[in-house]
Amino acid sequence: MNHLDILLPFGLPQAEMARDLMRECKAPALAMLLARSKTAAPLQNLDPFSRALPHEHWLAGRFGLTAQSAAQQDERGDSPSAAAAFLRTSAAIPAPTEGHWFILQPAHIHVARDHLVLTNIDQLELDDPESLRLFQSALPLFEEIGRTLLYADAATWLMRADDWAGLRTSSPQAASGRNIDIWMPEGPGELAWRKLQNEVQMQWFSESINEEREMLGKKPVNSLWIWGGAAATAAVTTKYQSNFNLSGWPQALAGEAQHSAGPDGVLAAPGEHGLLMLDALLEPGLTNEWGYWLQRMEALDNLWFAPLLQAVRDKRLDSLSLILTGQDKLLHLTATASSLRRFWIKPSLAKLAA
């Protein structure tokens, strides 16, 4: 391994919390990497209402996911076109060779004071038996209107809708914890989707599965979230020979190349370029649990940043890049053995308050 990109979603905390967190955070290895790294690109500020989070846009670019044409786009962009990757990598379904497909994810939407809010989908803890029951309950509603619906896994279903190819959707992480009205689909098929979504919601309201889940302390599954539209033939391209600790749609993009490993496994991997995703900060970042964020950052420093810092110093790794993102920001830094020798620069986490 010559170069490693480390993607750290929500490594940049919310501005109003950043200084207090930097004061409390004990992460000496990360402080060294941050202070003595070089800025690989200027700080990027994204639209706060973008339909995907900064780390999702970055991943989409790195894996060559094509955006819609300029005529179909607007300033908020679109969710990553990840559906084709699931079609190709899911062992549960035959890989279609035609059509335009969307990812559908079972979701929980709750009522706030004057609007509806999407709960973080990763918190649903939906297993296969539960998801299959919901899938079979909803399937006739899709068949009635001629929509093909496929089951990939408990969290991921796929729907074909060729006539909705220009529909702009939002990733569930971008919409998580927010008023869903701002994040609902826009474009061809938006009204038809809302009608179908409402019918599924009504169907599931009468299902006993949600009563069973609530008795176990779980959130009811009361809606579907649509995103990730892509042609079945959409290609994925990447410069990475090894990918580590990817999950969800990024893992589907990496296909058979993904690995799950610790620092020694990462350093021993073959190839010129590797990608490591450290998503431990994602959940507390989405839910604004900054005490939890602090604990996890310190754990990452001990488990990952300290050994990788030493690997660069020992030249077992030529260089590493830190791609730190927040709700609407992205910072790309690169550290090498020579940059780490700048002893006159004191370790500091100040760059996290970008």
Side-chain angles (χ1 to χ4, degrees):
M1 180 73 65
N2 292 339
H3 178 82
L4 181 66
D5 281 342
I6 304 173
L7 178 61
L8 195 62
F10 280 94
L12 302 178
Q14 298 290 66
E16 62 271 18
M17 298 298 301
R19 294 193 181 280
D20 289 340
L21 289 171
M22 298 312 96
R23 191 179 303 112
E24 296 294 327
C25 188
K26 304 297 188 294
L30 179 60
M32 182 69 75
L33 286 168
L34 289 173
R36 297 186 182 178
S37 61
K38 298 180 180 180
T39 303
L43 176 70
Q44 295 181 40
N45 291 284
L46 281 75
D47 188 323
F49 296 104
S50 174
R51 294 187 178 93
L53 292 175
H55 75 275
E56 295 179 310
H57 283 303
W58 187 87
L59 280 165
R62 288 289 164 150
F63 283 93
L65 300 189
T66 55
Q68 294 177 345
S69 68
Q72 295 173 314
Q73 276 287 15
D74 61 22
E75 66 277 2
R76 294 179 60 200
D78 199 358
S79 61
S81 51
F86 277 108
L87 289 170
R88 282 192 293 271
T89 59
S90 175
I93 56 176
T97 57
E98 60 183 15
H100 195 89
W101 295 78
F102 290 88
I103 298 169
L104 301 187
Q105 293 195 267
H108 173 76
I109 293 174
H110 67 270
V111 180
R113 180 162 47 182
D114 58 358
H115 58 272
L116 299 176
V117 176
L118 177 69
T119 300
N120 182 4
I121 283 177
D122 293 334
Q123 295 181 338
L124 275 186
E125 300 177 356
L126 187 66
D127 59 28
D128 272 307
E130 291 175 326
S131 186
L132 282 166
R133 285 175 62 184
L134 293 168
F135 179 87
Q136 294 299 332
S137 175
L139 183 59
L141 299 174
F142 289 80
E143 292 177 334
E144 285 175 9
I145 59 173
R147 297 294 181 199
T148 300
L149 184 66
L150 302 176
Y151 183 95
D153 58 47
T156 313
W157 307 351
L158 295 148
M159 178 190 68
R160 181 174 177 177
D162 297 0
D163 52 329
W164 295 1
L167 186 66
R168 299 181 298 277
T169 59
S170 303
S171 77
Q173 289 183 350
S176 179
R178 296 180 167 190
N179 182 344
I180 65 168
D181 284 345
I182 303 172
W183 309 95
M184 292 294 284
E186 296 179 348
E190 63 175 288
L191 296 180
W193 166 251
R194 288 191 183 225
K195 181 175 184 294
L196 178 57
Q197 184 186 38
N198 287 337
E199 289 175 350
V200 171
Q201 289 171 337
M202 289 187 288
Q203 176 69 25
W204 286 353
F205 182 77
S206 61
E207 294 288 338
S208 61
I209 184 172
N210 280 322
E211 292 181 11
E212 296 167 10
R213 285 178 58 84
E214 288 184 289
M215 289 177 64
L216 296 172
K218 296 180 180 180
K219 296 182 184 299
V221 182
N222 57 14
S223 190
L224 277 172
W225 195 260
I226 183 172
W227 69 284
T233 55
V236 172
T237 60
T238 179
K239 70 175 185 178
Y240 297 113
Q241 290 82 46
S242 300
N243 302 276
F244 304 94
N245 298 353
L246 304 183
S247 60
W249 66 271
Q251 180 176 328
L253 294 179
E256 296 180 358
Q258 85 276 354
H259 304 279
S260 180
D264 289 340
V266 171
L267 293 169
E272 295 285 325
H273 294 89
L275 170 62
L276 169 65
M277 184 170 175
L278 301 177
D279 63 359
L281 306 177
L282 184 54
E283 182 180 348
L286 288 173
T287 55
N288 294 316
E289 296 176 289
W290 299 111
Y292 193 23
W293 181 96
L294 191 62
Q295 294 174 14
R296 289 199 165 190
M297 178 64 93
E298 292 177 352
L300 286 174
D301 192 71
N302 181 61
L303 178 62
W304 284 103
F305 298 129
L308 292 176
L309 168 64
Q310 193 60 47
V312 177
R313 282 174 162 163
D314 295 343
K315 297 187 179 179
R316 288 183 293 149
L317 187 63
D318 290 347
S319 58
L320 65 79
S321 287
L322 292 168
I323 299 92
L324 305 132
T325 71
Q327 189 74 49
D328 56 5
K329 292 180 173 60
L330 185 147
L331 182 63
H332 189 164
L333 306 168
T334 298
T336 63
S338 60
S339 73
L340 292 175
R341 286 195 294 269
R342 297 186 295 171
F343 61 87
W344 58 91
I345 300 177
K346 294 181 179 180
S348 171
L349 296 173
K351 289 179 181 177
L352 296 187

